[in-house]
């Protein structure tokens, strides 16, 4: 399995944000083919509230075309969402992408419309500052 260039950084950032990475990668079984999502993580909020569970697909957006990278990310998100919905529906799926890609591509109105229509959740990180900038649930 190929790991994205930012895979290890995003894992560290999740842990610094209080998440416990439980799977690296998260393998969805029970399907005809195995599906591998970069991470699964859990975060216990308080003793009174149940924990949150997420899956994160890391995308670098370093290809020659940001739009083609976006197509790839959307396709994977849709496939992974369906697999999670069947096998682990309590887990929320996010695409992790660098802030540069977010600023250049995702702020476009038609891209925002697509993200909203498909319900895609984003984790925006800054690779230079090595921090999570924004969660878009």
């Amino acid at each position: 399995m190929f790991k994205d260039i930012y895979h290890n950084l995003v894992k560290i950032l999740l842990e610094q944000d209080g998440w416990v990475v439980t799977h690296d990668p998260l393998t969805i079984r029970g399907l005809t083919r195995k599906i591998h999502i970069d991470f699964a993580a859990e975060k216990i909020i308080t003793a009174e509230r149940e924990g949150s569970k997420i899956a994160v697909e890391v995308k670098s957006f370093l290809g020659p075309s940001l739009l083609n990278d976006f197509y790839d990310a959307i396709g994977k998100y849709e496939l992974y969402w369906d697999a999670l919905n069947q096998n682990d529906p309590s887990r929320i799926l996010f695409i992790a992408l660098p802030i540069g890609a977010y600023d250049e591509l995702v702020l476009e109105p038609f891209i925002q419309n697509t993200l909203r229509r498909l319900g895609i959740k984003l984790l925006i990180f800054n690779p230079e500052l090595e921090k999570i900038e924004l969660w878009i649930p």
Side-chain angles (χ1 to χ4, degrees), residues 61-69:
F61 283 82
L62 295 175
S65 167
L66 285 178
L67 198 52
N68 281 338
D69 290 346

Side-chain angles (χ1 to χ4, degrees), residues 32-91:
T32 305
R33 298 180 182 271
K34 290 182 188 172
I35 293 180
H36 304 283
I37 301 172
D38 287 329
F39 298 109
E42 297 181 16
K43 185 174 188 178
I44 305 303
I45 298 170
T46 67
E48 295 85 31
R49 297 170 66 185
E50 56 183 57
S52 299
K53 293 170 40 174
I54 62 173
V56 179
E57 175 62 16
V58 181
K59 301 305 293 175
S60 65
F61 283 82
L62 295 175
S65 167
L66 285 178
L67 198 52
N68 281 338
D69 290 346
F70 179 72
Y71 295 151
D72 179 54
I74 297 304
K76 285 187 174 181
Y77 186 95
E78 290 276 289
L79 180 69
Y80 295 170
W81 187 90
D82 283 339
L84 279 174
N85 193 44
Q86 291 176 31
N87 292 277
D88 192 355
S90 65
R91 199 170 294 278

Side-chain angles (χ1 to χ4, degrees), residues 7-134:
H7 181 97
N8 290 333
L9 174 61
V10 171
K11 181 178 178 180
I12 290 167
L13 296 178
L14 286 169
E15 291 170 341
Q16 288 174 349
D17 198 42
W19 293 92
V20 175
V21 175
T22 58
H23 299 81
D24 179 8
L26 171 62
T27 300
I28 306 295
R29 299 187 192 284
L31 306 170
T32 305
R33 298 180 182 271
K34 290 182 188 172
I35 293 180
H36 304 283
I37 301 172
D38 287 329
F39 298 109
E42 297 181 16
K43 185 174 188 178
I44 305 303
I45 298 170
T46 67
E48 295 85 31
R49 297 170 66 185
E50 56 183 57
S52 299
K53 293 170 40 174
I54 62 173
V56 179
E57 175 62 16
V58 181
K59 301 305 293 175
S60 65
F61 283 82
L62 295 175
S65 167
L66 285 178
L67 198 52
N68 281 338
D69 290 346
F70 179 72
Y71 295 151
D72 179 54
I74 297 304
K76 285 187 174 181
Y77 186 95
E78 290 276 289
L79 180 69
Y80 295 170
W81 187 90
D82 283 339
L84 279 174
N85 193 44
Q86 291 176 31
N87 292 277
D88 192 355
S90 65
R91 199 170 294 278
I92 300 168
L93 180 60
F94 284 84
I95 295 175
L97 70 150
I99 191 149
Y102 177 76
D103 289 344
E104 289 185 42
L105 181 67
V106 178
L107 292 178
E108 291 284 339
F110 84 96
I111 298 290
Q112 288 183 356
N113 184 53
T114 300
L115 294 171
R116 203 172 18 260
R117 181 175 52 80
L118 297 174
I120 294 174
K121 295 156 183 38
L122 301 175
L123 183 170
I124 313 303
F125 64 95
N126 188 320
E128 287 84 31
L129 298 178
E130 298 187 351
K131 71 177 211 172
I132 294 174
E133 294 284 350
L134 183 62

